[in-house]
Amino acid sequence: MPLSQKPGGGPPDHQPEPHTGPAPARTGPSGAGPPRRGTRRLRRFNRRDLAVVTVLLGIPVLLDIAVVWGPTLASVALSFTSWDGIGEITWVGTENYENLFTNYPAFWPAARHNLLWLAFLGLLATPFGLLLAVLIDRGVRFSRFYQSTLYMPVVLSLAVVGFIAQLIFSRDQGALNAVLGDTETPTDWLGDPDLNLWMILLTAAWRHTGYVMILYLAGLKAVDPSLKEAAAIDGASEAQTFFRVVLPTLRPVNVIVGVITVIEALRAFDIVYAVNKGRNGLELLSVLVTDNIIGEAARIGFGSAIAVVLLLFSLGFVITFLVQEIRGEKNR
């Protein structure tokens, strides 16, 4: 019997031959061609996902509004009122600001001290922190020890730094007078209005320098070494390489350091309050805000006006600095 026929004379079974040619092209859902690789189907959020996102984003936003923007807007509104915190709130318009600028003798010295604080940290402490970062980045011996030692003041609060300043600059039992051997007529480093501000500025710079050093050190580690090698091949000196190649690449770090410097200078409070309650040559705007708001004769409206001035100082410097940095980035 032929193999192609079934028993009983039926028609032969169809035996498809194995396919030996190329596999047929796979088409997409529309039949227009092969599907694209790497494309992912967008997944819609279900109710559970929306609830999670709402909680994760909503809680921080509410906390930010309640802790930051709420008191800020409240201070702006209260600055146009007269209120002692208990009685009735009375609208006085711009009277608080007029008294602040014309009839409050402590305001202008405090404002000058804040500007001097900003200039000292920005022009001395910040460049010195950059210098330390460059020296450590070059791979000096015991670099880890230097980093830890210089960064140690950053983990201390400004109040603790103020107590340390008292131990060092105290008139009778201070370490500085003991080292200088000035025991008969000791120098009153913290009591003399001509000296105490500079001593506190040195102490604040001691803390600020370590913070700036760590930020710049992290930025220097991210600089591409090939840029330095290319500058060296072109015959640039180390100073030219730093100022023309390395420093422009640190622009994002410069923005962060600049903003932090402005904030540190204008929000300074703890260190001077720990020394002498912010008086006798150490007046700052933050201290004036506290003195007018807290106490039996609280003038919350007047203190809020000082806080608004301090806020405008901070925003003015920060916005100006950011605008200059953005313009410089566009001109590159």
Side-chain angles (χ1 to χ4, degrees):
M1 180 188 299
L3 297 176
S4 61
Q5 294 182 354
K6 296 176 64 175
D13 292 335
H14 178 70
Q15 299 289 337
E17 296 182 358
H19 182 75
T20 57
R26 300 174 59 186
T27 60
S30 62
R36 297 179 182 178
R37 293 183 178 179
T39 59
R40 292 184 178 180
R41 188 177 178 181
L42 295 178
R43 177 175 175 269
R44 294 184 178 181
F45 288 151
N46 54 31
R47 293 183 178 180
R48 181 179 179 182
D49 296 333
L50 292 176
V52 172
V53 172
T54 302
V55 171
L56 293 179
L57 293 180
I59 292 178
V61 170
L62 292 177
L63 288 176
D64 184 66
I65 294 175
V67 177
V68 179
W69 292 107
T72 300
L73 297 177
S75 297
V76 174
L78 289 173
S79 66
F80 298 99
T81 65
S82 176
W83 187 40
D84 59 0
I86 300 176
E88 184 180 356
I89 300 177
T90 305
W91 180 267
V92 296
T94 59
E95 181 179 343
N96 288 327
Y97 293 97
E98 295 174 0
N99 292 331
L100 179 64
F101 294 136
T102 58
N103 298 324
Y104 193 48
F107 172 74
W108 292 110
R112 287 195 298 269
H113 292 167
N114 273 111
L115 294 177
L116 180 60
W117 206 289
L118 176 61
F120 192 89
L121 294 184
L123 300 179
L124 293 178
T126 297
F128 187 61
L130 175 59
L131 175 62
L132 293 176
V134 172
L135 294 177
I136 294 176
D137 184 63
R138 296 179 63 180
V140 297
R141 296 182 61 184
F142 308 111
S143 61
R144 297 292 184 182
F145 172 76
Y146 296 143
Q147 292 181 41
S148 302
T149 303
L150 295 172
Y151 187 75
M152 187 182 300
V154 181
V155 302
L156 303 176
S157 67
L158 285 173
V160 175
V161 175
F163 291 128
I164 295 175
Q166 285 184 316
L167 296 176
I168 296 175
F169 301 116
S170 178
R171 178 181 181 273
D172 298 323
Q173 299 178 352
L176 182 58
N177 284 333
V179 172
L180 296 177
D182 193 1
T183 56
E184 296 182 357
T185 57
T187 304
D188 194 359
W189 300 103
L190 298 180
D192 189 349
D194 296 328
L195 297 176
N196 56 9
L197 181 62
W198 300 104
M199 299 300 104
I200 297 301
L201 284 175
L202 287 175
T203 308
W206 170 61
R207 182 180 184 273
H208 184 72
T209 298
Y211 196 8
V212 173
M213 179 202 68
I214 290 297
L215 292 176
Y216 274 120
L217 190 60
L220 290 171
K221 297 296 183 183
V223 175
D224 189 356
S226 62
L227 297 176
K228 301 179 183 179
E229 296 175 359
I233 293 174
D234 291 339
S237 63
E238 291 187 4
Q240 291 174 336
T241 300
F242 176 76
F243 286 105
R244 296 184 181 182
V245 177
V246 176
L247 191 59
T249 61
L250 296 177
R251 183 176 295 272
V253 183
N254 293 334
V255 173
I256 297 174
V257 171
V259 173
I260 289 175
T261 301
V262 173
I263 294 174
E264 286 289 326
L266 297 181
R267 76 174 182 90
F269 169 79
D270 311 55
I271 184 171
V272 297
Y273 206 80
V275 172
N276 65 354
K277 306 295 183 181
R279 298 183 177 88
N280 191 27
L282 295 181
E283 295 83 0
L284 294 173
L285 292 178
S286 57
V287 177
L288 299 184
V289 173
T290 304
D291 290 342
N292 283 277
I293 291 180
I294 299 176
E296 296 181 359
R299 298 188 298 173
I300 296 180
F302 190 75
S304 298
I306 303 175
V308 171
V309 172
L310 183 57
L311 174 65
L312 294 178
F313 270 25
S314 303
L315 291 179
F317 282 107
V318 170
I319 292 175
T320 302
F321 180 78
L322 292 179
V323 168
Q324 294 297 326
E325 289 294 329
I326 292 173
R327 288 179 178 176
E329 184 69 23
K330 290 182 178 179
N331 294 332
R332 290 181 60 187

